[in-house]
Amino acid sequence: MLTPFVLLVLPGRAQLIGATAFGPVFARPASAATDTMLWLNTRARRVGVSTFVQASSLRGNFGLGARQQIRYRFGSDWIYDSRGTPPFVREDYGGDVAHLISLGRNDHWQAGQQIHYDQSRANATRTGLWLGRLSYQRRLRPGHPADSLSQLRLTLLGGGATDTRNGFKDDGFAYGFDAAALLFNNGLAAPPIVIRMLGTRAQLGPRIAQRLVAEAVGEQSFLENAPLTVQGRLGYRSNRAEDYLRGSVQRIQSDTLAAQVGGIYRLNPSATLRSDNSVLLPTRAFAYRRLSQEADTLQDLGYRQRELNTRQELRIVRPKLQTGISFNYRERTRSYYLENSRSLSEARLATALAREQVKDITEQTTLWQGDLTWLPVPRHALALLGTAQLLRVDAPSRDNQQTRDEAQHLLRLTWTGRWAGAFRTTLAVAGEYRQTVFIRAAQSAENYADHLLHWEPGFTWAPGKLSLRSTFHLWVSYQVRDRATEQARNRASRVLDQTQSIGYQLRPNLLLQADYTRRENRVGQLNWAQFRESPLDTSITHDFTAGLRQSWAGKRGGSSLRLGYRLLEQRNYGRAALEPAAGSPTTTSTLIYLHNITRQQGPEVAVERRAAGFTLAASLWLQWMRTYYTYDVGTGVYSGSSYTALDLAQEINRVLPYFELSLEWRVGRRKP
């Protein structure tokens, strides 16, 4: 799965030039302590019977004299499924190369150029970009020797771009600017005040890609040692992306205005009041320009949205008692609109608008949360957590069936104890109640209440060379429908998760370890009135590993080798129907209790090597996989899934090597 040459995974791959920020290589200056740095990173593993993933990257920099530098990064990202035609699900490549030159004696000015390339073979998309850069930077507080980080940076970008997708190849100009200021007004230990504006634009034939970002972030204490600290953020983002769709150019315009203000007020040395409030106003518009008279006429549309968030918290911290209470409220409202780009009549426009406004929605979430931690004695702690949440969803349209209320109440008690002999125990008990009520009468059959119980004991014991760890989590859910006519849909489910781990240090560098994980999920039909249930489906998973790990340590690094065995078994239990055999006098199917079993087992080997700047980890699980059926014959008939005796006698046997490889290599040369 490793490529002959290593390429880097780039964010925003296969996107229109300008949809992401220019110059990702410029954003990370090299360390002043080195003039050459190379970082190789690659990972490959098998994730399924026929699926493999691989991600590799190569990045670095090297100096060309005292004032010039080359920075580069290349990468690839693959998801491979051997069953497909062609077999690749995703095959992406990308790369950046940048050349930087420092001008002047004090390095205030900098010039450079960059080449950027992205390719996604899955959707036949290629993007390329060449940019020239001229930047200026200087310290904002040269009179403060202790503040060397406050600075102003101004950058101009310009060049050419190319974009190939959907059978079209477009070329054009790309340009942009970036201005940023950082001011450490409250000292280097406090967050700085940041002001930034970024704009990019690419003119690609009939399409335009454009981005604008403006934001200011800061935190300020108005008086020295004052109990009040105010935080704030104000930002605006605008993105314009255009692509081809059904003979037209589709323009997606996204604009977002955001504001946030918060504060921390210290009431006394033990109590703190925090407040965080924000408003978000995103809008999105879809507009279409026809490239020819024969193209479809598409309707311009969009939506406006408003999001309000507030969180108020009071926290008290004492030596043996910590407690806090918080209030959270979130409101999100979205409304759709249409532009009459198709010159519809008033009646047809009203019909089309009503069809879009079915998606209009308002969500309101109110959450109260309280927690308390008490240390009655030095080695024991009790923690209590309680939450109460209400979600209200309102859809104005009568055709939208999402209008509902959801309430949730949770109470959780946890005890943690530490005992002599490195013995630690935990015990958690929780109860939860959820209720969902649909407001529309047509949806009232879906109203239900969910009762949940949690039981979570566990312990850890590490006396010397021996270590034992065990966790146990059982949660039970009883889902009860409100209507008497819907009681047949009541469900009871039990989920059990348990993990046991044992380790023994045979020698200082030789460790024996075994781990076992079991997950069991049982679903049954519930008779709530009589509190009885009938099993419907059960699935059980066993995962067992055991092995020896030998490690070696030396002056140049450390290595380890692990040899072991792993068993993974999945069992599914359910009911099915057995069809009569050919020529049998019986014509009706018979109820059977079907067991579907998949067992994967085999030896494991893993190696690891760590040295200065170098890490290699590789593992191989050579597994034998067997899938087969067993069943018990019941009484009566069953109308669900049916099988013949020949179907249930079939087996699948395969040998599958599951592997994982990870490599990181850093090479650097310091300046002489």
Side-chain angles (χ1 to χ4, degrees):
M1 293 300 298
L2 297 180
T3 53
F5 52 92
V6 186
L7 298 175
L8 169 70
V9 183
L10 292 174
R13 72 177 69 80
Q15 294 186 5
L16 209 60
I17 293 296
T20 57
F22 286 152
V25 174
F26 290 122
R28 296 185 179 181
S31 171
T34 63
D35 65 353
T36 301
M37 176 64 72
L38 180 145
W39 179 28
L40 171 67
N41 186 311
T42 184
R43 287 178 172 82
R45 63 192 180 104
R46 184 176 197 157
V47 296
V49 174
S50 60
T51 306
F52 306 83
V53 297
Q54 179 272 145
S56 302
S57 67
L58 176 69
R59 67 176 66 184
N61 61 272
F62 57 90
L64 299 175
R67 295 187 174 275
Q68 296 190 58
Q69 190 178 86
I70 299 290
R71 303 180 197 171
Y72 57 89
R73 67 178 189 173
F74 306 97
S76 67
D77 190 3
W78 293 357
I79 298 180
Y80 178 89
D81 191 332
S82 60
R83 298 170 300 180
T85 305
F88 276 103
V89 177
R90 189 177 73 192
E91 186 181 1
D92 298 340
Y93 304 92
D96 280 285
V97 178
H99 177 212
L100 305 178
I101 306 173
S102 297
L103 306 176
R105 295 182 179 180
N106 49 18
D107 295 334
H108 286 328
W109 291 90
Q110 190 181 68
Q113 59 180 331
Q114 176 187 359
I115 298 175
H116 169 82
Y117 178 76
D118 269 336
Q119 179 181 3
S120 177
R121 293 187 60 181
N123 52 11
T125 299
R126 295 190 304 274
T127 61
L129 174 68
W130 174 83
L131 282 178
R133 164 185 169 163
L134 179 64
S135 64
Y136 172 79
Q137 68 178 27
R138 64 172 301 151
R139 290 178 58 182
L140 286 178
R141 305 174 72 184
H144 292 72
D147 184 3
S148 60
L149 299 180
S150 296
Q151 59 180 296
L152 171 69
R153 289 184 292 179
L154 304 173
T155 304
L156 294 177
L157 304 166
T162 179
D163 187 287
T164 301
R165 66 181 65 210
N166 299 331
F168 295 90
K169 182 179 180 181
D170 296 321
D171 304 301
F173 295 102
Y175 50 91
F177 71 93
D178 189 358
L182 284 79
L183 180 61
F184 289 83
N185 199 42
N186 298 319
L188 300 181
I193 297 175
V194 181
I195 301 175
R196 188 186 186 196
M197 290 189 64
L198 167 68
T200 63
R201 182 181 175 94
Q203 183 77 43
L204 297 167
R207 298 180 295 154
I208 295 175
Q210 182 174 289
R211 185 186 187 212
L212 176 64
V213 176
E215 59 184 356
V217 182
E219 177 179 302
Q220 182 66 44
S221 298
F222 293 101
L223 297 174
E224 187 176 357
N225 298 323
L228 178 63
T229 300
V230 176
Q231 304 163 332
R233 177 189 296 264
L234 183 64
Y236 172 74
R237 292 177 179 267
S238 176
N239 286 281
R240 175 180 176 180
E242 295 186 348
D243 204 351
Y244 297 105
L245 179 67
R246 293 164 57 182
S248 301
V249 173
Q250 180 190 54
R251 172 182 174 183
I252 304 176
Q253 179 71 46
S254 302
D255 299 280
T256 302
L257 178 64
Q260 180 264 338
V261 62
I264 303 174
Y265 185 74
R266 295 181 295 277
L267 300 174
N268 56 51
S270 302
T272 304
L273 180 64
R274 297 174 181 267
S275 178
D276 188 6
N277 312 276
S278 64
V279 58
L280 198 65
L281 303 175
T283 63
R284 179 165 292 188
F286 299 84
Y288 303 89
R289 301 192 311 272
R290 286 193 293 173
L291 296 176
S292 63
Q293 294 297 327
E294 296 79 15
D296 291 343
T297 302
L298 300 173
Q299 182 73 58
D300 294 352
L301 57 93
Y303 67 78
R304 303 179 182 90
Q305 187 167 302
R306 183 189 68 206
E307 296 184 25
L308 303 175
N309 293 273
T310 182
R311 175 182 173 85
Q312 317 300 323
E313 180 185 23
L314 174 63
R315 182 155 295 278
I316 300 174
V317 179
R318 303 295 298 271
K320 289 191 174 185
L321 183 68
Q322 300 180 15
T323 184
I325 185 172
S326 64
F327 168 76
N328 299 264
Y329 177 77
R330 179 178 182 268
E331 180 179 325
R332 183 177 73 94
T333 301
R334 176 180 290 188
S335 57
Y336 288 80
Y337 65 89
L338 288 181
E339 300 289 349
N340 195 8
S341 57
R342 300 173 62 187
S343 301
L344 300 178
S345 63
E346 292 187 6
R348 295 184 63 188
L349 180 62
T351 302
L353 179 59
R355 186 168 54 248
E356 292 297 328
Q357 288 180 338
V358 170
K359 299 178 289 186
D360 289 359
I361 199 168
T362 297
E363 296 178 353
Q364 297 174 322
T365 304
T366 304
L367 172 64
W368 286 93
Q369 183 170 334
D371 63 89
L372 183 147
T373 303
W374 177 43
L375 283 72
V377 292
R379 301 173 66 89
H380 297 267
L382 282 172
L384 181 66
L385 172 67
T387 63
Q389 177 178 291
L390 175 63
L391 168 64
R392 312 200 75 170
V393 180
D394 182 26
S397 174
R398 302 291 300 181
D399 296 326
N400 192 324
Q401 304 297 328
Q402 298 187 63
T403 303
R404 67 188 185 277
D405 290 345
E406 296 183 10
Q408 178 197 19
H409 305 275
L410 169 68
L411 188 63
R412 179 184 178 88
L413 178 64
T414 305
W415 167 68
T416 303
R418 290 179 296 162
W419 311 84
F423 189 65
R424 174 173 174 161
T425 57
T426 60
L427 177 62
V429 181
E432 190 174 355
Y433 177 78
R434 303 174 186 172
Q435 186 177 18
T436 300
V437 178
F438 287 87
I439 307 304
R440 309 288 189 205
Q443 293 291 104
S444 60
E446 302 299 325
N447 296 348
Y448 68 90
D450 212 354
H451 312 259
L452 296 99
L453 298 174
H454 298 259
W455 172 255
E456 304 174 43
F459 75 88
T460 301
W461 186 36
K465 296 183 179 181
L466 178 67
S467 65
L468 296 172
R469 182 175 60 88
S470 177
T471 62
F472 184 93
H473 186 186
L474 171 66
W475 67 91
V476 183
S477 170
Y478 300 105
Q479 188 179 101
V480 183
R481 300 283 168 171
D482 289 358
R483 277 191 178 183
T485 56
E486 300 294 327
Q487 295 304 296
R489 299 171 61 190
N490 292 347
R491 292 294 182 265
S493 64
R494 289 177 175 82
V495 180
L496 168 66
D497 272 337
Q498 62 180 111
T499 301
Q500 279 79 37
S501 177
I502 181 172
Y504 189 78
Q505 200 76 42
L506 297 171
R507 293 198 298 267
N509 295 327
L510 183 60
L511 175 66
L512 172 64
Q513 188 168 2
D515 299 283
Y516 172 70
T517 300
R518 173 189 173 97
R519 181 179 178 88
E520 183 174 338
N521 190 352
R522 297 179 180 270
V523 178
Q525 185 176 6
L526 174 66
N527 186 326
W528 180 248
Q530 301 179 8
F531 202 66
R532 296 173 57 186
E533 59 182 279
S534 302
L536 294 176
D537 190 22
T538 300
S539 63
I540 301 176
T541 302
H542 305 274
D543 191 351
F544 172 76
T545 59
L548 285 168
R549 183 177 184 270
Q550 174 71 49
S551 59
W552 298 270
K555 295 182 179 180
R556 296 185 177 181
S559 304
S560 68
L561 171 65
R562 183 181 183 276
L563 299 174
Y565 166 84
R566 182 181 180 187
L567 167 67
L568 177 63
E569 184 178 270
Q570 303 175 66
R571 292 175 172 262
N572 294 313
Y573 301 87
R575 291 183 292 180
L578 179 64
E579 296 181 357
S584 172
T586 304
T587 59
T588 59
S589 58
T590 305
L591 170 67
I592 59 172
Y593 299 98
L594 183 64
H595 308 159
N596 182 7
I597 303 172
T598 300
R599 183 175 296 136
Q600 301 161 270
Q601 59 180 323
E604 273 190 317
V605 58
V607 296
E608 186 174 356
R609 172 65 181 171
R610 294 182 180 272
F614 179 83
T615 301
L616 171 66
S619 64
L620 173 65
W621 178 25
L622 186 59
Q623 80 162 235
W624 281 263
M625 185 181 76
R626 180 191 178 199
T627 300
Y628 62 98
Y629 296 95
T630 63
Y631 62 92
D632 298 321
V633 179
T635 58
V637 296
Y638 184 74
S639 60
S641 302
S642 60
Y643 300 85
T644 65
L646 184 60
D647 294 334
L648 300 180
Q650 294 182 356
E651 285 192 12
I652 298 177
N653 291 278
R654 301 184 65 177
V655 178
L656 298 172
Y658 274 75
F659 67 90
E660 186 167 353
L661 174 66
S662 174
L663 171 65
E664 291 187 11
W665 187 25
R666 293 175 182 265
V667 181
R669 186 185 69 198
R670 294 187 176 276
K671 292 182 178 180

